[in-house]
Amino acid sequence: MDMKIDVVQFCPKLFDKEANLEKINDIITSSDADLIVLPELSTTGYFFTSREETEKYAEPISGDTYSSWQKIAEEKNIIIVGGFAEKAEDKVFNSAAVIFPDKEFSSVYRKTHLFYKERFCFDRGDTGFEVIEYEEKDLRLGTMICYDWRFPEAARTLALKGADLIVSPSNLVTDVWHISTPSRALENKVYFAVANRIGTETRDEEKLYFNGMSAIYSYNGKQISKAGEKSEEIISAEIDPKATRNKSFNEFNDIFSDRQPDLYWQD
């Protein structure tokens, strides 16, 4: 069963959660996709500089962001994956809400690999890399966030757990990520969708430039759809999740059964 995915690229307003959430919810409500992916920290903006700031703007899963996305998901029969700052007891996480029409499947992924000054503002994620199998849409979904792409173990873990599609809410600032993200699709034979943001944020005279170019890659590593570097836009693709499940690429080779884990270095 084919499904349509939308990847949203826009410029969140720093610390204006109300305006960002209103804009996002309008976008989701207008979508005709089966699944929509939003950028990292899409409701708050990215450039936090202290723990005090993240604690001020973070919210629990009972808050407006997660709750409103769950309501829309149920009304529209759409899967929503989007980044937000999550408060959980005495910890604060750079998280992605992974929302399904059936709320029993909904969850959060908490960013494992913290980038740059995030380490001063967020706790390291504790969810690990999990795949959610959603039979209604015949989809096995894995989630990571931004800097996680640098670690091939992240995508490989999700693939070995059965992911058909890996989605990555992101706030990318380097000029090298687009080199490796198609490789993550190819080496695992999975679809890979990156939702990046655009714009700049300046704090204490330091400016971050977010370089857009959100992309959707097929399981052969080929680019299906790509956004511009500076434009707010939504890119889309039709995917067939079942096409990823046979990991062979000729009559003799299978990228999973050919693995030799006993010869790989391990901790």
Side-chain angles (χ1 to χ4, degrees):
M1 179 174 65
D2 287 355
M3 64 182 300
K4 182 185 178 186
I5 62 176
D6 280 354
V7 168
V8 179
Q9 177 171 290
F10 79 110
C11 181
K13 296 180 180 179
L14 186 62
F15 302 150
D16 194 343
K17 187 161 59 177
E18 183 177 351
N20 292 329
L21 188 57
E22 181 179 0
K23 180 172 185 173
I24 289 166
N25 288 354
D26 285 344
I27 291 171
I28 300 171
T29 302
S30 300
S31 173
D32 64 352
D34 297 290
L35 182 150
I36 191 165
V37 191
L38 304 157
E40 176 184 15
L41 294 172
S42 61
T43 61
T44 58
Y46 176 79
F47 206 175
F48 292 97
T49 58
S50 70
R51 180 76 177 208
E52 289 72 25
E53 285 184 346
T54 54
E55 290 179 343
K56 178 180 179 180
Y57 291 100
E59 58 181 298
I61 60 173
S62 59
D64 291 342
T65 296
Y66 193 97
S67 299
S68 66
W69 289 352
Q70 184 64 62
K71 183 174 185 293
I72 297 172
E74 293 173 10
E75 292 173 348
K76 290 187 58 66
N77 191 31
I78 188 173
I79 301 168
I80 303 165
V81 182
F84 75 114
E86 181 198 2
K87 178 70 173 175
E89 297 181 349
D90 62 341
K91 293 187 176 182
V92 183
F93 299 103
N94 181 341
S95 293
V98 187
I99 307 293
F100 289 83
D102 184 341
K103 64 182 180 182
E104 292 184 6
F105 290 86
S106 299
S107 65
V108 294
Y109 164 69
R110 294 167 175 164
K111 189 173 184 178
T112 302
H113 304 98
L114 299 179
F115 180 73
Y116 196 46
K117 293 182 179 180
E118 291 174 26
R119 68 190 62 217
F120 306 122
C121 306
F122 295 98
D123 292 286
R124 189 188 72 171
D126 58 5
T127 55
F129 296 97
E130 296 297 333
V131 172
I132 301 171
E133 183 172 0
Y134 192 58
E135 290 186 2
E136 181 180 329
K137 294 185 183 292
D138 194 14
L139 174 69
R140 301 167 186 174
L141 178 66
T143 303
M144 62 172 62
I145 297 175
C146 201
Y147 182 49
D148 288 333
W149 72 264
R150 284 250 186 190
F151 302 86
E153 299 90 343
R156 177 51 57 92
T157 298
L158 290 170
L160 288 172
K161 289 185 174 183
D164 307 314
L165 166 66
I166 296 174
V167 294
S168 181
S170 299
N171 279 184
L172 292 153
V173 296
T174 73
D175 60 358
V176 295
W177 63 269
H178 60 280
I179 299 171
S180 287
T181 44
S183 296
R184 299 292 169 262
L186 173 63
E187 66 201 10
N188 293 296
K189 197 176 179 182
V190 295
Y191 292 100
F192 198 101
V194 181
N196 197 17
R197 62 160 290 181
I198 59 169
T200 61
E201 289 180 355
T202 302
R203 305 296 308 282
D204 301 326
E205 299 183 351
E206 181 180 8
K207 179 182 287 188
L208 292 182
Y209 170 73
F210 303 96
N211 53 30
M213 297 184 287
S214 299
I216 304 169
Y217 302 100
S218 183
Y219 55 81
N220 57 12
K222 292 183 179 179
Q223 179 182 293
I224 302 174
S225 186
K226 185 178 181 180
E229 186 176 340
K230 299 179 180 180
S231 55
E232 290 198 344
E233 55 185 297
I234 300 171
I235 60 172
S236 303
E238 295 280 344
I239 69 169
D240 177 11
K242 294 190 300 297
T244 70
R245 296 172 190 171
N246 180 347
K247 299 299 181 178
S248 64
F249 60 93
N250 63 38
E251 63 180 313
F252 302 114
N253 292 109
D254 181 294
I255 59 172
F256 281 8
S257 63
D258 286 349
R259 295 173 67 247
Q260 304 295 329
D262 58 311
L263 299 180
Y264 304 153
W265 179 86
Q266 299 180 5
D267 287 333

Short mmCIF file of all heavy atoms in Angstrom, two decimals, residues 51 82 99 125-126 141 165 180-181 193-194 207 210 225 227 230 235 252:
data_model
loop_
_atom_site.label_atom_id
_atom_site.label_comp_id
_atom_site.label_asym_id
_atom_site.label_seq_id
_atom_site.Cartn_x
_atom_site.Cartn_y
_atom_site.Cartn_z
N ARG A 51 20.32 26.19 30.44
CA ARG A 51 19.33 25.26 30.99
C ARG A 51 18.08 26.02 31.43
O ARG A 51 16.96 25.53 31.30
CB ARG A 51 19.96 24.52 32.17
CG ARG A 51 19.05 23.53 32.84
CD ARG A 51 18.93 22.27 32.03
NE ARG A 51 18.10 21.28 32.70
CZ ARG A 51 18.22 19.99 32.55
NH1 ARG A 51 19.17 19.51 31.74
NH2 ARG A 51 17.44 19.15 33.18
N GLY A 82 7.21 15.60 14.86
CA GLY A 82 7.73 16.96 14.94
C GLY A 82 8.50 17.22 16.21
O GLY A 82 8.21 16.64 17.27
N ILE A 99 3.33 10.92 16.65
CA ILE A 99 1.91 10.88 16.94
C ILE A 99 1.15 10.08 15.89
O ILE A 99 1.26 10.36 14.68
CB ILE A 99 1.32 12.31 17.01
CG1 ILE A 99 2.13 13.18 17.97
CG2 ILE A 99 -0.14 12.26 17.39
CD1 ILE A 99 2.04 12.79 19.41
N GLY A 125 19.15 12.03 25.49
CA GLY A 125 17.95 11.22 25.34
C GLY A 125 18.11 9.84 25.93
O GLY A 125 19.19 9.24 25.89
N ASP A 126 17.00 9.31 26.45
CA ASP A 126 17.04 8.01 27.12
C ASP A 126 16.07 6.99 26.50
O ASP A 126 15.86 5.92 27.06
CB ASP A 126 16.72 8.17 28.60
CG ASP A 126 15.36 8.82 28.86
OD1 ASP A 126 14.61 9.07 27.89
OD2 ASP A 126 15.03 9.07 30.04
N LEU A 141 7.89 2.55 11.39
CA LEU A 141 8.46 3.90 11.42
C LEU A 141 9.55 4.03 12.48
O LEU A 141 9.35 3.68 13.64
CB LEU A 141 7.35 4.91 11.70
CG LEU A 141 7.77 6.38 11.81
CD1 LEU A 141 8.28 6.90 10.47
CD2 LEU A 141 6.60 7.23 12.31
N LEU A 165 10.79 3.26 7.00
CA LEU A 165 11.01 4.69 6.82
C LEU A 165 11.64 5.25 8.08
O LEU A 165 11.16 5.00 9.19
CB LEU A 165 9.66 5.39 6.56
CG LEU A 165 9.62 6.91 6.66
CD1 LEU A 165 10.46 7.55 5.55
CD2 LEU A 165 8.17 7.41 6.60
N SER A 180 25.87 12.29 3.58
CA SER A 180 25.66 11.01 4.27
C SER A 180 24.21 10.57 4.38
O SER A 180 23.94 9.37 4.48
CB SER A 180 26.26 11.08 5.68
OG SER A 180 27.67 11.05 5.62
N THR A 181 23.27 11.49 4.38
CA THR A 181 21.89 11.06 4.57
C THR A 181 21.39 10.11 3.47
O THR A 181 20.71 9.12 3.80
CB THR A 181 20.95 12.27 4.73
OG1 THR A 181 21.27 13.28 3.76
CG2 THR A 181 21.08 12.86 6.12
N ALA A 193 13.66 10.49 5.38
CA ALA A 193 13.08 11.82 5.19
C ALA A 193 13.66 12.80 6.21
O ALA A 193 13.58 12.56 7.41
CB ALA A 193 11.57 11.77 5.32
N VAL A 194 14.25 13.88 5.71
CA VAL A 194 14.88 14.90 6.56
C VAL A 194 14.06 16.19 6.46
O VAL A 194 13.92 16.77 5.38
CB VAL A 194 16.32 15.19 6.12
CG1 VAL A 194 16.95 16.24 7.03
CG2 VAL A 194 17.15 13.92 6.11
N LYS A 207 25.88 33.74 15.38
CA LYS A 207 24.77 33.49 14.46
C LYS A 207 24.83 32.07 13.92
O LYS A 207 25.88 31.58 13.51
CB LYS A 207 24.82 34.47 13.29
CG LYS A 207 23.69 34.27 12.26
CD LYS A 207 23.82 35.24 11.08
CE LYS A 207 23.42 36.64 11.50
NZ LYS A 207 23.34 37.55 10.32
N PHE A 210 20.62 28.18 9.22
CA PHE A 210 20.00 26.88 8.95
C PHE A 210 19.77 26.77 7.44
O PHE A 210 19.13 27.64 6.84
CB PHE A 210 18.70 26.74 9.73
CG PHE A 210 18.89 26.93 11.21
CD1 PHE A 210 18.67 28.17 11.79
CD2 PHE A 210 19.32 25.89 12.02
CE1 PHE A 210 18.87 28.37 13.15
CE2 PHE A 210 19.51 26.07 13.37
CZ PHE A 210 19.29 27.32 13.95
N SER A 225 12.70 13.92 -3.58
CA SER A 225 12.22 15.30 -3.53
C SER A 225 13.17 16.12 -2.66
O SER A 225 13.72 15.61 -1.69
CB SER A 225 10.80 15.34 -2.95
OG SER A 225 10.26 16.63 -3.01
N ALA A 227 13.89 20.34 -1.13
CA ALA A 227 13.49 21.73 -0.98
C ALA A 227 14.66 22.65 -1.28
O ALA A 227 15.82 22.23 -1.35
CB ALA A 227 12.98 21.98 0.44
N LYS A 230 16.54 28.34 1.02
CA LYS A 230 16.06 29.47 1.80
C LYS A 230 14.55 29.62 1.82
O LYS A 230 14.02 30.56 2.42
CB LYS A 230 16.68 30.77 1.26
CG LYS A 230 18.19 30.81 1.34
CD LYS A 230 18.75 32.10 0.76
CE LYS A 230 20.27 32.15 0.84
NZ LYS A 230 20.82 33.40 0.29
N ILE A 235 7.62 19.56 0.78
CA ILE A 235 7.94 18.60 -0.27
C ILE A 235 7.22 17.30 0.03
O ILE A 235 6.94 16.98 1.20
CB ILE A 235 9.45 18.38 -0.42
CG1 ILE A 235 10.07 17.84 0.88
CG2 ILE A 235 10.14 19.67 -0.86
CD1 ILE A 235 11.53 17.43 0.73
N PHE A 252 22.18 -13.18 -5.09
CA PHE A 252 23.12 -13.78 -4.14
C PHE A 252 23.36 -12.94 -2.88
O PHE A 252 23.82 -13.48 -1.87
CB PHE A 252 24.47 -14.03 -4.83
CG PHE A 252 24.38 -14.92 -6.03
CD1 PHE A 252 24.66 -14.43 -7.29
CD2 PHE A 252 24.02 -16.25 -5.90
CE1 PHE A 252 24.59 -15.25 -8.41
CE2 PHE A 252 23.92 -17.08 -7.00
CZ PHE A 252 24.20 -16.57 -8.28
#
